[in-house]
Amino acid sequence: MKPKTTKHFASIIALLLLLNCVTILSNSEQHSETDATRPASTHYEQRKPSRDGIGKIYMGREISRVMGHQGAEWLERPEREREEMPNLLVGLLKLKKGDVVADIGVGTGYIARRIAPKIGDTGTIYGVDIQPEMLELLAEKMTEAGITNVKGVLGTITDPKLPPESVDLVIMVDVYHEFSHPYEMMKNICRGLKIGGRVAFVEYRAEDPSVPIKRLHKMSELQVIKEATPHPLVWVETIDDLPWQHVIIFEKIATQ
């Protein structure tokens, strides 16, 4: 097993977490004024796109291009078991019977299929995607597997359309880096979370040059924590037990 946190970044993480707490307190006092007066476009800047990006910059990171439903077969590739160890990932999430989970960017339901038995018939998975074609594939896969606790949800590029304060865990597997509006999406994801609910960012490790994934499709632990800072989230842990990805977990600690 690898260490649970990236120790050599500990002091930087501590600084970011302090900033996170200060931001949350400030947001709780000024949130309505800020959202009412600041256009969403001020969160971003536009540059010439790189080969794999859209040229839109958020907190120093260029947002990557989105994989369309035409690439759905890649989500089901046999090598994924070895490269990502999805069953181990699901085991790390500490799920329990009756949990409500939102799988954002659910695709064909590769992860949702593994979560479904963990939460049982009393639990619910909101399988969120912005592509209707993906939701059709999701429904087909769930029917084939006899899974009935996954509900497809057609989200938008800014809103996953989750019921307010209803979700115990939001999981995003190799998807957050593709959000064209990460600030707005995280704001609305947090709105759907219960107080004490968790968010799990599962991203290929940018710190590891041996991970054979394109640069814009990887994220560092520090970048993820930085981008969580504007929201009512506190970092809980970073798990590095997977071959190529880290699992970076936050908890919602305040209402918006």
Side-chain angles (χ1 to χ4, degrees):
M1 289 290 185
K2 296 181 180 178
K4 294 292 182 182
T5 58
T6 311
K7 293 182 179 178
H8 61 286
F9 288 149
S11 59
I12 303 176
I13 290 174
L15 180 60
L16 283 169
L17 292 176
L18 178 60
L19 176 61
N20 177 264
C21 291
V22 170
T23 301
I24 290 170
L25 290 172
S26 176
N27 284 348
S28 66
E29 297 174 355
Q30 303 177 18
H31 187 271
S32 59
E33 178 183 353
T34 299
D35 283 349
T37 59
R38 181 172 62 184
S41 61
T42 62
H43 295 293
Y44 310 103
E45 59 181 291
Q46 196 68 37
R47 300 177 189 168
K48 181 179 179 181
S50 65
R51 185 181 66 175
D52 300 312
I54 65 172
K56 190 175 184 180
I57 310 300
Y58 180 58
M59 292 193 169
R61 174 182 65 89
E62 183 180 5
I63 296 167
S64 75
R65 296 183 186 276
V66 176
M67 186 190 77
H69 65 274
Q70 299 86 350
E73 288 186 7
W74 188 79
L75 298 175
E76 298 286 340
R77 66 194 188 280
E79 310 92 274
R80 196 170 177 186
E81 290 281 354
R82 170 178 51 81
E83 295 168 354
E84 299 186 10
M85 293 188 177
N87 293 326
L88 174 58
L89 165 61
V90 171
L92 294 170
L93 297 176
K94 302 174 184 176
L95 296 163
K96 61 184 186 298
K97 299 294 183 183
D99 274 349
V100 177
V101 177
D103 185 349
I104 310 296
V106 66
T108 58
Y110 185 82
I111 298 298
R113 292 199 302 272
R114 291 159 171 81
I115 291 175
K118 297 287 187 181
I119 63 174
D121 294 337
T122 58
T124 300
I125 302 171
Y126 293 115
V128 180
D129 212 290
I130 64 172
Q131 301 178 75
E133 298 88 350
M134 282 294 198
L135 293 179
E136 290 175 9
L137 290 171
L138 173 69
E140 291 174 10
K141 292 287 186 182
M142 296 306 108
T143 299
E144 290 172 7
I147 294 172
T148 59
N149 60 352
V150 176
K151 298 180 179 180
V153 177
L154 183 62
T156 71
I157 58 174
T158 60
D159 190 348
K161 302 294 184 180
L162 299 173
E165 298 187 6
S166 63
V167 177
D168 296 293
L169 172 72
V170 167
I171 183 168
M172 298 174 285
V173 179
D174 307 329
V175 67
Y176 174 80
H177 62 270
E178 294 184 352
F179 287 169
S180 61
H181 294 73
Y183 174 83
E184 294 82 1
M185 276 293 285
M186 286 308 303
K187 176 183 172 183
N188 287 312
I189 282 172
C190 288
R191 182 172 290 129
L193 275 174
K194 300 174 182 177
I195 298 293
R198 297 173 297 144
V199 181
F201 293 77
V202 184
E203 291 284 344
Y204 291 109
R205 295 192 294 270
E207 300 91 338
D208 186 350
S210 70
V211 174
I213 299 294
K214 293 178 179 179
R215 179 180 61 84
L216 293 188
H217 290 269
K218 300 195 285 187
M219 287 190 71
S220 71
E221 178 183 24
L222 293 181
Q223 185 67 32
V224 171
I225 292 174
K226 180 180 178 181
E227 296 189 23
T229 294
H231 306 286
L233 300 170
V234 63
W235 175 80
V236 176
E237 64 177 334
T238 298
I239 305 172
D240 283 332
D241 291 348
L242 302 179
W244 291 352
Q245 301 150 299
H246 37 206
V247 185
I248 307 171
I249 298 178
F250 298 82
E251 181 178 314
K252 179 178 175 181
I253 61 171
T255 56
Q256 293 178 298

